Structures are given as structure tokens and as C-alpha cells.
Amino acid sequence: MQTLAIDGSVLEGGGQILRNSISLSALLGKPINISKVRNGRKPPGLKNQHRTGIELAAEIASARLTGATNGSSSVFFSPTRIAAGDYTADPVTAGAATLLLQISLPILLFASSTTPSTLTLKGGTNATMAPQIDYIQHVFLPFATRHFGLKVDVDVRRRGYFPRGGGEVHVTVFPGVDGAKLTAASVLERGAVTRIGGIAHVAGLPAHLGKAMADSAIARLAAAGFAPDAPVPVSVEIASTREKNENTIGAGSGIVLWAELAGGGMIGGSAVGSKQKDAVTVGEEAANELIKGLEAGGCVDEWLEDQIIIFMALAEGTSEVRCGKDGLTLHTKTAIWVAEQLTGASFDITVQDSGHTIIKCHGIGYTAPSEEVK
């Protein structure tokens, strides 16, 4: 089969092109050569977490892989057969475990097996340049389960923070069987905010810092009109947890918030603690991010927006999702570009009179091949 050339410098020019291209290559059996890897980053080329993710995908898809070394700007990936199983990936840094999940999850959803696969993903669970694991648990997966039919369980065994990492996440992926396809998502009506949930977490630090994050987020949300006693009442429940000392390496903190919408949408907001910010500020930052997402008026936030593109492309039928008034992010545009290059799915982007952007995708109705890709 002819190798497809992918320009890694297109649009956002980061790791997302790498992850989405590799996932789709594995599923579709298309050999790819990605050049100018992470050309838009300083320094460019592969870092530990990117290399680890590619190696994980290669193991799952029994792929021939070259160029997977730190600093490499060109990667060749040629898959053969996707195998269900038990896999482990460890970047040996604080590299994000959630980004390892992004590259491997779409592949394992279509493993030819009646039994689930498991992923043991190590590294950072709560970082600034990637979704926190709590966002995956409480925003991405609930949305993807409801609208695309995913069946995935996530168990955080140990949290890992920058710079030491050391976190561990166990993921169980239940594949579709007998040619099952992802369902198309139709999320066009936002509806009211039905509930706001959240979790403020600390490890290796005093428990009162978690409570301070949660309390400041609640106060900020109330000032914006999201509270049980507001004119339009909204339930707000933000838990505060402190990890046991044996369940973390190093110290760190963070908070993830999520708003559930009556129309089936999800909006998230998050912040990660640091020595430069007090706990009150961290809680307010997460609340401000959630409020911004809600005020944009979409059914998904800007991070969920780009993460669902690959599933829209693979699903059967036409998916439609209403996004906010700020226009599509560069990450979303990049994800659409990659999906169109590899899958043949077509996307239509329209802006309503209200200013909201609608993403419509005519998916390919992907099913796993019954025989090994040649």
C-alpha cells in the first residue's frame, strides 16, 4: 500500500498531528510518513511522551516503526494488525498520561476481540499542557459515552505532578464486537446548566489547600450566577480530596470543574497549582475558565471540541455539534485536517447568525477489518 505523507508543520504544528495521524493510520491500515514533526514547537521533534505514545500505538497495531527517537523530526509508521491485550506505557517523565490515552484509545476501541483491553499509563496525571485526568473522567468520557457509544473505564491509581511524574492510570477499553460502529453525535441544543461538579485535589500538601481551591471556585461561580440560591438555581458540588502519601510521588495540586447541560453537552474548566499561585487563585482560575466556556454558548468547550473530531470522522452517519462563539480553535482545525487527509470523512463548518459555529461531519462508519492489513 502506498505511503501517505503527512506534513507535521500544518496549522498548530504540534503533537496532535502526530497522535491523530498514528491512530488513524493504525485503524485504516495506511502506512504514513510524518515529516517536520512538532515543527511549531521549541524545540521541535519528538519528546519522551510523544515517542512513548508512538511506541505504544506500534505495539497495539503490530506496526513497523522507524524514526521514533527523541528529537526526531520524521516518523514512519506501517501497521499490520490491531490486537486486544494488556499494554503499559511509561515516558519516565511527567509527560501526560492523558496524551498516551489519546493516541491509543481510538485504536483499542476497534480491536477484534470480545474481551476488553487494559492500559497502564504512567507519567503525569495533572499537567498544564494537556487535559488533566479528571477532565477525561468527568468531561470527555461522559460526553463520548453518551454520544458516540464508547465504553471505557478509568481508574487513577496514583497521581503524578510536574516535574516528577510517577502517576499511574489504569484504563479498561471495551471494544465493539460484530462490526459495531460508533454512533453519530447530534448536539445542537444547549439547554440549561443542570449541574456543576468538580474535584479539587492535593497531594503531598496540606488538605486545607484543596478546600480553599474548592471554596474559591464556588464563590466565583456564585458571583457569576451559578449557585443553588441563584434566580435560576444550579446545583454546585465541588469535592476536595487529599491523596494518601503512598499514592503520589512528589507534591502538587489542581482542580477540574464541569457543567452538565440539558441538551447533552459538557463544558469544563481547570487549573493546576504551582508554587507561584495560592490556592484561592487556582480555584478562581478554574471557575473563570468554566464561566468563559459557558458564556461562549456552545455545547462543548474548546478542548472537548478538538478531542471529538476523530470520533466524528469514524462514526456512522452525520454528526453535528454546536461550538461556542469564539470560532474553532487551531487544534480543532488541525484535527479536522488530519481526519480529512486519512479517512475520507467530510466536514462542513458553518457560522450561525448567533455567532455559534456548527461542525458537521459525514463519518465513514468505520468497522475493524476482519483480516490482517497487507
Side-chain angles (χ1 to χ4, degrees):
M1 184 179 291
Q2 185 176 359
T3 299
L4 180 65
I6 299 293
D7 184 347
S9 68
V10 167
L11 295 170
E12 65 97 16
Q16 184 193 43
I17 294 178
L18 194 72
R19 289 187 293 275
N20 285 19
S21 296
I22 293 289
S23 293
L24 291 172
S25 168
L27 289 170
L28 299 166
K30 294 182 177 180
I32 59 172
N33 189 80
I34 308 174
S35 61
K36 301 180 183 177
V37 171
R38 298 184 67 251
N39 198 65
R41 301 293 184 261
K42 294 182 179 180
L46 295 180
K47 296 178 70 173
N48 255 29
Q49 70 176 32
H50 308 101
R51 174 185 53 76
T52 303
I54 295 171
E55 290 173 342
L56 172 61
E59 184 181 3
I60 296 169
S62 302
R64 184 158 63 95
L65 175 64
T66 60
T69 57
N70 286 7
S72 173
S73 60
S74 179
V75 172
F76 173 77
F77 183 92
S78 181
T80 55
R81 179 179 178 274
I82 297 170
D86 302 321
Y87 298 96
T88 298
D90 183 2
V92 199
T93 65
T98 54
L99 297 184
L100 297 176
L101 181 61
Q102 279 188 5
I103 194 171
S104 56
L105 175 58
I107 307 172
L108 286 175
L109 286 172
F110 294 97
S112 298
S113 174
T114 57
T115 59
S117 294
T118 64
L119 291 164
T120 301
L121 305 176
K122 300 182 180 182
T125 59
N126 301 88
T128 56
M129 300 302 290
Q132 295 191 56
I133 191 61
D134 310 88
Y135 181 95
I136 299 298
Q137 285 181 300
H138 298 289
V139 181
F140 169 75
L141 281 177
F143 184 94
T145 298
R146 176 171 182 171
H147 296 292
F148 296 109
L150 273 62
K151 296 180 181 178
V152 182
D153 291 335
V154 173
D155 179 20
V156 182
R157 300 289 178 88
R158 185 168 60 244
R159 290 190 184 271
Y161 299 93
F162 181 83
R164 297 187 64 182
E168 184 172 317
V169 178
H170 287 211
V171 182
T172 305
V173 183
F174 299 86
V177 295
D178 299 328
K181 301 176 182 180
L182 298 182
T183 56
S186 180
V187 196
L188 297 175
E189 298 299 326
R190 186 183 126 144
V193 178
T194 59
R195 176 180 176 270
I196 292 176
I199 179 168
H201 51 85
V202 299
L205 297 169
H208 71 81
L209 296 177
K211 187 175 186 305
M213 283 191 289
D215 288 346
S216 65
I218 291 170
R220 178 67 187 93
L221 290 167
F226 300 103
D229 59 354
V232 180
V234 177
S235 170
V236 179
E237 301 174 24
I238 303 176
S240 172
T241 66
R242 183 185 186 277
E243 301 297 323
K244 295 180 180 178
N245 289 340
E246 61 268 27
N247 286 348
T248 186
I249 295 176
S253 64
I255 179 171
V256 175
L257 309 174
W258 55 90
E260 301 168 6
L261 307 178
M266 295 288 292
I267 305 291
S270 63
V272 175
S274 71
K275 293 180 180 179
Q276 291 73 37
K277 294 185 292 186
D278 61 49
V280 170
T281 299
V282 176
E284 290 175 346
E285 283 184 2
N288 286 334
E289 194 169 88
L290 180 65
I291 293 164
K292 178 184 175 183
L294 289 169
E295 290 178 344
C299 299
V300 294
D301 62 47
E302 60 181 290
W303 301 274
L304 185 55
E305 176 186 296
D306 74 78
Q307 291 181 64
I308 63 176
I309 294 299
I310 191 170
F311 301 102
M312 295 175 75
L314 294 170
E316 181 177 35
T318 301
S319 294
E320 296 179 284
V321 177
R322 171 178 158 177
C323 303
K325 297 179 180 179
D326 298 327
L328 300 185
T329 66
L330 195 56
H331 274 85
T332 300
K333 293 176 182 178
T334 305
I336 290 172
W337 179 83
V338 171
E340 290 185 329
Q341 296 297 306
L342 279 151
T343 68
S346 61
F347 287 81
D348 298 316
I349 310 300
T350 58
V351 179
Q352 298 179 310
D353 292 341
S354 61
H356 299 98
T357 300
I358 304 295
I359 302 176
K360 178 185 287 188
C361 174
H362 306 283
I364 64 173
Y366 176 81
T367 56
S370 57
E371 297 182 358
E372 183 174 315
V373 177
K374 299 298 184 182

